[in-house]
Amino acid sequence: MDITINADQLYGELQTLASFTDAPPPAVTRIVFSKTDMAARAYFKKLCTAASLTVREDPVGNTFARWAGREPDLPAIGTGSHTDAIPHAGAYDGTVGVLGGLEALRALQRSGYQPRRSIELVMFTSEEPTRFGIGCLGSRLLSGSLSVERARALVDKDGQSLDQVRSAAGFMGSLDDVGLSRDYYETFLELHVEQGPILEARNIPVGVVTAIAAPASLRIWIEGEGGHAGTVLMPQRHDAFLAAAQIALTVESAAKSTGAIDTVATVGVCDVFPGAVNSIPSRVKIEVDVRDIDLARRDAVLRAVDRACDEVTSQRGVKIRKEVLNVDPPAQSSARAVETLEQSCKEFQIPCLSMVSRAYHDSLFMSRITDVAMLFVRCRAGISHRSDEYASAEDIATGTRVLAHALAHLSDK
Ligand SMILES: [Zn+2]
C-alpha cells in the first residue's frame, strides 16, 4: 500500500493547534473546558469533518471521529490521544496522537484504501490532571476505571463540579452513558511523543511500547513533637522530619531491592512545619510515587513503605496517617498489536525500538476494555511538559505513516 503523509500540512496543523493557548507562545496552556480548550476542540472537529469523518461527542467531551468500514458492525479499530495541556507545556504532548491519527486516516483515504472494520479517531477529555486533580479523566470513564459516583464528586479549584463545568461547556447527558463495552474496539493504538531521552540517544525515530508502567501515589502525614532546637535534648525528641527521612530512605531501598530496572520510587514532596532552623519539626507531609510495569513488584514496594511507617511510629514515638492517592495496575500491550506496529516499521524499513512507557497515558485505561499498543516518536532531549518540547516534522510523519499502515492492517483482520 502506498501511504504518503503530508508532513507539512500535519506540522502546520500542530502549530495552529498550539496557537490555542492561554500562555504566551510558544508555551501552551489549554485546560479542559476552558474557552481555549473549546476553541481548540472546534478546530479539531472542523478538520475531522473536512476529512469526511463522522463526529460524535460523549457527555464528558470525549470526541470520536469515525471512518465507517465496509463491515461497520464489527468492533472498530481505535486511535487517538489528548489535546489538553498543562500550564506552560509544549505543542506535541498528546496532539501528535490526535492530529497524527487524523493525518493517518487522510493518508489512507488518499491511497484509495477502504477499511473493513471502522477506524475511529478519539480525542480524550482531560488526560492532564490540572483541573480536576485526576489524570486521564475521559479514558478512565470510557473504560469503567473511574466510577461515575467518584467522577460526580470531582471539583475544580473554584469548587465547581465536573457536572457543572461540562454542562457549561455544552456537554449534556449522563456520565452513566460514557462507558464503552468491551466489544466497541477491537484494538486501540496510540501515537505519542516519547517524553524521554531513549530514542534520541539511540538515534531511532520510533519506539513500540510493550508495557505501560502504572503509578501508585501516597500522601503521608507524620506528627511528632516540636520544640526548641537548643533546649530539647536528643533522647527526648520526636522529630517528624527524621521519621519522614527514614521512610524516604526505605522508599529508595525498597525500589532498589526488587532488582528490576523498571521499579522506580520517588519522594517528591516534603513539607516541614514549622520550617525554622532553630525549631524541631513537629509535622511533616511527604508524597510518595511508586511505579513499575510489574504489579507484584510495585505492590511489594508499597508494602515495604507500610512496614516502614509502622516501625518508625514505634521507634520514634510519632503518629502517622496515610492516604492513597491512586493505585493503578500497569498495562501490557497486546502482543498482536505490538507485532503489527513492528511489521509496519519493517515494511517501510524504519528502525524501531521496543520499549516501556514510564509515563502513563490514556492507553493504560483503554487496555481495560481492548487490546492496546503505543507508538512513540523521538523528541528532543526527552523534554516534555515544557514550552521547548520538540519533535521534528519528519519524525512525526514517520510515526504517522507507521500508524496508518498498522491501522489498515488491523482493520482488514
Ligand atoms: Zn500525553
Side-chain angles (χ1 to χ4, degrees):
M1 196 187 319
D2 183 27
I3 300 173
T4 312
I5 301 303
N6 192 335
D8 291 343
Q9 184 186 349
L10 171 55
Y11 213 68
E13 288 167 352
L14 282 164
Q15 304 316 316
T16 303
L17 186 55
S19 73
F20 295 96
T21 171
D22 285 322
V28 180
T29 299
R30 205 161 42 234
I31 311 300
V32 67
F33 299 142
S34 63
K35 256 190 178 159
T36 305
D37 176 44
M38 297 312 292
R41 285 167 180 264
Y43 172 64
F44 168 62
K45 287 185 282 184
K46 194 181 82 185
L47 293 179
C48 291
T49 307
S52 310
L53 304 175
T54 308
V55 176
R56 159 177 91 83
E57 293 166 310
D58 74 10
V60 79
N62 290 312
T63 303
F64 306 82
R66 182 171 277 239
W67 181 9
R70 296 193 308 275
E71 297 183 44
D73 296 333
L74 289 177
I77 305 302
T79 188
S81 194
H82 62 99
T83 59
D84 64 324
I86 64 162
H88 301 277
Y92 305 97
D93 175 5
T95 58
V96 163
V98 174
L99 295 180
L102 174 61
E103 174 58 16
L105 267 55
R106 290 185 305 217
L108 289 173
Q109 290 171 340
R110 288 193 297 267
S111 76
Y113 170 77
Q114 285 291 328
R116 175 174 169 245
R117 294 173 183 277
S118 299
I119 305 179
E120 189 169 78
L121 173 64
V122 192
M123 194 228 45
F124 295 105
T125 280
S126 197
E127 194 265 350
E128 304 292 1
T130 316
R131 185 154 194 176
F132 292 105
I134 185 166
C136 297
L137 178 61
S139 53
R140 279 183 197 265
L141 281 167
L142 278 181
S143 60
S145 308
L146 174 72
S147 70
V148 169
E149 198 185 344
R150 268 195 70 197
R152 287 207 179 100
L154 295 172
V155 285
D156 67 8
K157 68 174 186 343
D158 301 321
Q160 293 207 79
S161 71
L162 172 60
D163 274 337
Q164 287 172 318
V165 175
R166 73 181 174 93
S167 60
F171 297 108
M172 304 302 182
S174 168
L175 292 179
D176 288 307
D177 298 333
V178 173
L180 295 179
S181 68
R182 281 178 171 272
D183 60 359
Y184 186 88
Y185 289 121
E186 203 264 345
T187 305
F188 183 86
L189 301 179
E190 182 173 3
L191 179 71
H192 204 282
V193 283
E194 183 198 350
Q195 303 180 285
I198 297 169
L199 291 172
E200 185 181 64
R202 300 278 297 267
N203 197 25
I204 296 176
V206 294
V208 176
V209 174
T210 55
I212 306 171
S217 51
L218 311 169
R219 190 175 281 151
I220 303 174
W221 286 272
I222 299 146
E223 198 181 327
E225 209 173 296
H228 194 291
T231 59
V232 182
L233 300 179
M234 297 311 278
Q236 272 78 51
R237 292 192 182 193
H238 303 283
D239 184 321
F241 171 73
L242 292 179
Q246 204 168 325
I247 294 167
L249 288 172
T250 302
V251 168
E252 184 197 30
S253 62
K256 283 181 167 173
S257 73
T258 69
I261 197 78
D262 293 319
T263 318
V264 288
T266 308
V267 178
V269 171
C270 180
D271 293 340
V272 179
F273 182 86
V277 68
N278 58 353
S279 182
I280 300 163
S282 60
R283 286 202 308 270
V284 171
K285 180 185 83 178
I286 58 173
E287 287 182 9
V288 183
D289 177 299
V290 185
R291 305 185 189 215
D292 202 316
I293 54 167
D294 182 279
L295 188 61
R297 280 197 312 247
R298 201 270 318 267
D299 289 349
V301 175
L302 293 177
R303 282 196 301 276
V305 175
D306 279 348
R307 282 196 302 276
C309 288
D310 292 345
E311 278 164 29
V312 167
T313 300
S314 57
Q315 279 172 18
R316 294 186 174 271
V318 294
K319 281 189 203 143
I320 293 183
R321 187 161 64 84
K322 275 192 311 264
E323 181 193 352
V324 175
L325 300 176
N326 67 301
V327 270
D328 296 302
Q332 299 295 325
S333 300
S334 121
R336 201 174 60 98
V338 165
E339 210 181 282
T340 304
L341 286 168
E342 286 172 348
Q343 213 41 54
S344 298
C345 290
K346 232 181 236 156
E347 172 89 18
F348 299 131
Q349 293 172 324
I350 295 161
C352 75
L353 187 70
S354 173
M355 61 196 303
V356 158
S357 174
R358 290 192 168 74
Y360 72 97
H361 302 281
D362 291 302
S363 289
L364 175 66
F365 299 98
M366 294 308 282
S367 76
R368 314 249 174 108
I369 53 164
T370 185
D371 284 357
V372 301
M374 293 186 73
L375 185 69
F376 275 173
V377 171
R378 168 170 61 189
C379 63
R380 185 174 63 194
I383 290 167
S384 188
H385 284 189
R386 274 171 43 177
S387 63
D388 54 347
E389 179 181 78
Y390 173 78
S392 73
E394 195 191 338
D395 284 350
I396 292 171
T398 298
T400 302
R401 192 158 175 240
V402 172
L403 176 70
H405 188 270
L407 290 173
H409 182 83
L410 290 167
S411 165
D412 288 340
K413 282 273 162 185

